Amino acid sequence: MEQTTRKVTGAEAVIMSLLEEKVDTIFGYPGGAIMPVYDALYDYQNQVKHVLTRHEQGAIHAAQGYARVSGKVGVCFATSGPGATNLVTGLTDAMMDSTPLVCITGQVGSPLLGTDAFQEADVIGLTMPATKWNYQVTSVDEIPWAIAQAFYIASSGRPGPVVLDISKDAQFNEIDFKYEKCNKVRSYVPEYKVNDEKVSEAAKLIDSAKKPLLLFGQGVILSGAEKELKQLVEKTGVPAAWTLLGLSALPTSHPLNVGMLGMHGNYGPNIKTNECDVLIAVGMRFDDRVTGDVSNYAKQAKVIHVEIDPAEIDKIVPAEVALLGDAKKVLKKLLKKVTPNSHEEWLGEFKSCYEKEAEKVIDKDLFPTKEKLTMGEVVRRVGEQTNGDAILVTDVGQHQMIASRYFQLNKSRSLVTSGGLGTMGFGLPAALGAKVGQPDRDVVVFMGDGGFQMTMQELGCIAQYNLGVKMVILNNNFLGMVRQWQQLFFDKRYSFTEMQNPDFVALAKSFGISAQKVSERDNLDKVVQEMVEHDGPYLLEVVVEKEDNVFPMVPAGASVSNILLEP
């Protein structure tokens, strides 16, 4: 039956198209060039929720947090000029971390394009390197088509952000509205058919391996392959380690989960990468923070690379067997071919590494004897109070590494952090987006005093919508990660990293948000429990050791074999 049409403005066509894509939440900030869309949205408030952030960067980071925990496409609105340019950091972040977004920006009227009109910016030129696709709509007739294509491109294959820049006259003009979902774009191949011969080759390598190691990244989560990953490691007995964004794809308590890879990852996975004979990489891209000096990375190993994006194959680490395709489909086929096995002696080597790391690092982080509180013990106590069921959000810095190392996660899609771009200020708006995306789950965000101050205005958004985010500021009055590098590699020349901070508790309370400050170990458990049990948002400032460092650490440019357990 042919779809009936009705005449609407382009602005209303935007909202109707989003509803056709089952959008239930929009994050945004209104302005002149997007005002017609906001006017149309006024009549649809009972069908779609709009969250008014306090800055466009907050809107896009919130949309990222929403997308990461819900598995849906995040949507945000911004106006032209500075509104659109304020999205660029979030777009770049989403592009590097494969987060599906559709960002709709208003633009000056098409007759004014190229005239340096008020609040005009070349949004297409600015965002092209930071998007999977971008498009400028200057005709009302293109609006439904462009939105349908945007959602298809953003969510298919390797996900990513899309920008639609819609001129003001296209928003005002009228159209006979008809919507057709997009399921194909010429010359765009989001996913390749799995090569069965390559699967057989990979299975033979895994079966013959004496010291196999599996590395898994966010591709497992994006493809929904958590079950297949767990079945594969259990059937083959292969120890598995995770990249930062792969955290939560396999429960941290699983006996074959041997920890985190990379610069501040666990000792065992880093050392054993250069000792394994077969390296199975699933849904990860061999980022430099994982490989260290790539010229000395896993040279002894035969590499099996499971990857949806052909651009990542052989880009950094050459693959003996490249399995191009969706991780879930590849792992399903691989599961049928591999032989049941165990590698107890090899796994025992990881346990020995863990014991060494526990003695030199972990026990000192989690159960310190020094007077001042450590970041690790705060993370541990909050993790214990939430029973491993919370969504963990972090900003960027020392606390990010500490929280990712020590916060227990039992469910997938439970970590929201800025991986590839390392965006300070990401944490607070991403946490509010995560809470909107999963309102029935606890959301805990760890931030440093530096990163928090980059987007702290989003406390206003959290207060306005009474979002029950639990916010923990680990305050050392330093830009901690930069200070650590200055201490270790720049002769303790602390150049412009010490901070004079506001009264964070008073700031939170000025927004009507409950808050407390803790500096003594004896008070920590009580206040953490109060925060977790509190109905509504809560900010906890914890004063921690000023010169507390994150170890293990692979020095920049060094091999993963040269990982340090202490200064």
Side-chain angles (χ1 to χ4, degrees):
M1 183 177 172
E2 189 173 339
Q3 183 180 344
T4 57
T5 63
R6 71 180 178 94
K7 193 172 282 293
V8 299
T9 65
E12 189 171 2
V14 169
I15 306 302
M16 292 171 68
S17 297
L18 295 178
L19 291 174
E20 290 283 347
E21 293 290 344
K22 305 284 192 291
V23 171
D24 56 23
T25 304
I26 300 163
F27 302 89
Y29 203 94
I34 194 75
M35 207 177 295
V37 170
Y38 270 90
D39 184 66
L41 182 60
Y42 188 86
D43 294 325
Y44 288 87
Q45 293 179 71
N46 62 336
Q47 293 174 255
V48 61
K49 179 177 184 177
H50 181 276
V51 178
L52 174 65
T53 57
R54 297 304 185 261
H55 192 283
E56 291 88 358
Q57 185 179 350
I60 192 166
H61 289 331
Q64 288 176 269
Y66 172 92
R68 293 269 283 272
V69 302
S70 69
K72 301 175 184 177
V73 176
V75 178
C76 72
F77 287 169
T79 195
S80 64
T85 60
N86 283 340
L87 298 179
V88 172
T89 297
L91 289 169
T92 311
D93 194 289
M95 189 71 175
M96 292 191 76
D97 286 353
S98 304
T99 305
L101 300 179
V102 170
C103 301
I104 295 175
T105 57
Q107 183 56 277
V108 300
S110 56
L112 293 173
L113 288 170
T115 69
D116 292 332
F118 177 68
Q119 291 195 331
E120 181 192 1
D122 180 5
V123 173
I124 299 304
L126 282 164
T127 63
M128 190 174 289
T131 51
K132 262 187 94 174
W133 182 59
N134 65 5
Y135 188 77
Q136 188 169 73
V137 177
T138 56
S139 168
V140 66
D141 296 329
E142 294 181 312
I143 287 174
W145 162 82
I147 290 177
Q149 185 155 306
F151 273 84
Y152 175 65
I153 291 174
S155 60
S156 58
R158 180 179 179 176
V162 169
V163 165
L164 295 179
D165 191 45
I166 307 178
S167 68
K168 201 166 184 180
D169 51 321
Q171 297 173 49
F172 275 127
N173 291 338
E174 291 190 331
I175 181 179
D176 288 322
F177 182 78
K178 182 180 179 182
Y179 196 80
E180 294 180 13
K181 284 205 172 191
C182 177
N183 55 24
K184 187 178 181 181
V185 174
R186 191 177 67 178
S187 78
Y188 169 56
V189 183
E191 184 185 325
Y192 290 80
K193 186 179 178 182
V194 182
N195 185 317
D196 289 334
E197 288 183 16
K198 294 286 187 183
V199 173
S200 297
E201 283 181 46
K204 286 176 185 176
L205 276 180
I206 294 169
D207 287 347
S208 63
K210 302 299 181 190
K211 294 184 173 184
L213 176 60
L214 189 147
L215 316 179
F216 61 93
Q218 190 188 201
V220 172
I221 297 169
L222 294 173
S223 69
E226 297 92 342
K227 176 182 163 188
E228 288 76 14
L229 173 71
K230 184 171 179 282
Q231 289 174 337
L232 182 67
V233 297
E234 288 176 350
K235 184 175 182 180
T236 60
V238 176
W242 37 274
T243 69
L244 178 62
L245 295 187
L247 174 56
S248 82
L250 187 69
T252 45
S253 58
H254 193 284
L256 288 167
N257 187 333
V258 293
M260 183 166 78
L261 298 157
M263 181 173 278
H264 292 291
N266 293 103
Y267 184 63
N270 279 296
I271 291 287
K272 297 303 174 185
T273 295
N274 280 356
E275 296 178 20
C276 67
D277 55 1
V278 172
L279 191 69
I280 310 146
V282 183
M284 54 87 74
R285 58 186 179 86
F286 293 108
D287 178 79
D288 63 286
R289 285 294 170 106
V290 164
T291 66
D293 177 10
V294 76
S295 67
N296 288 305
Y297 181 80
K299 292 300 177 185
Q300 79 296 335
K302 292 181 177 177
V303 176
I304 299 166
H305 196 177
V306 179
E307 174 59 52
I308 198 167
D309 184 354
E312 298 295 344
I313 299 289
D314 295 333
K315 185 174 88 174
I316 295 169
V317 174
E320 180 86 8
V321 179
L323 292 172
L324 190 58
D326 177 78
K328 187 180 184 75
K329 293 175 182 176
V330 172
L331 294 186
K332 274 187 173 180
K333 287 178 176 284
L334 196 55
L335 265 168
K336 295 175 182 176
K337 303 259 184 171
V338 291
T339 305
N341 206 344
S342 64
H343 297 277
E344 290 303 321
E345 188 176 337
W346 172 234
L347 196 60
E349 294 184 32
F350 285 89
K351 290 175 182 173
S352 297
C353 287
Y354 182 83
E355 288 166 5
K356 186 175 182 180
E357 183 181 344
E359 179 190 349
K360 291 191 173 289
V361 180
I362 297 171
D363 290 345
K364 294 175 183 176
D365 280 347
L366 300 185
F367 306 99
T369 55
K370 58 176 112 175
E371 181 185 348
K372 294 284 187 182
L373 287 164
T374 65
M375 294 178 283
E377 69 178 310
V378 179
V379 168
R380 175 180 65 85
R381 305 252 182 128
V382 176
E384 287 171 351
Q385 293 275 8
T386 54
N387 301 313
D389 294 328
I391 292 170
L392 167 66
V393 185
T394 83
D395 207 82
V396 169
Q398 288 180 313
H399 67 277
Q400 176 187 32
M401 297 295 103
I402 290 286
S404 301
R405 282 171 56 80
Y406 298 130
F407 201 87
Q408 296 293 302
L409 298 172
N410 298 325
K411 300 176 183 176
S412 187
R413 291 194 177 273
S414 292
L415 173 73
V416 181
T417 194
S418 173
L421 195 61
T423 304
M424 287 181 68
F426 174 88
L428 191 63
L432 77 87
K435 187 64 179 176
V436 172
Q438 292 285 0
D440 295 329
R441 292 186 65 186
D442 288 331
V443 174
V444 179
V445 56
F446 286 93
M447 300 167 284
D449 46 307
F452 171 70
Q453 290 180 79
M454 288 193 169
T455 51
M456 62 186 179
Q457 68 271 16
E458 297 308 334
L459 288 174
C461 178
I462 289 169
Q464 179 170 344
Y465 297 96
N466 194 33
L467 299 171
V469 179
K470 313 306 179 188
M471 300 162 273
V472 184
I473 299 173
L474 299 177
N475 184 5
N476 54 17
N477 289 102
F478 267 115
L479 298 176
M481 188 62 87
V482 183
R483 185 214 53 77
Q484 177 170 335
W485 280 58
Q486 289 173 335
Q487 177 186 340
L488 298 176
F489 308 116
F490 291 88
D491 300 322
K492 292 190 176 181
R493 289 160 59 85
Y494 296 150
S495 180
F496 303 102
T497 46
E498 190 161 9
M499 302 195 75
Q500 179 178 318
N501 293 319
D503 183 335
F504 293 126
V505 171
L507 179 69
K509 287 184 175 179
S510 75
F511 285 97
I513 294 173
S514 297
Q516 281 206 59
K517 179 177 181 177
V518 174
S519 56
E520 302 294 332
R521 187 167 286 117
D522 291 345
N523 300 329
L524 184 61
D525 279 341
K526 177 174 175 283
V527 177
V528 167
Q529 183 177 357
E530 180 180 313
M531 175 185 74
V532 171
E533 293 177 354
H534 181 75
D535 184 17
Y538 195 106
L539 186 142
L540 173 60
E541 177 191 355
V542 185
V543 179
V544 295
E545 174 68 48
K546 282 184 72 116
E547 294 187 302
D548 195 8
N549 289 330
V550 184
F551 283 95
M553 180 178 185
V554 179
S559 165
V560 289
S561 297
N562 300 131
I563 188 169
L564 304 173
L565 289 174
E566 52 197 1

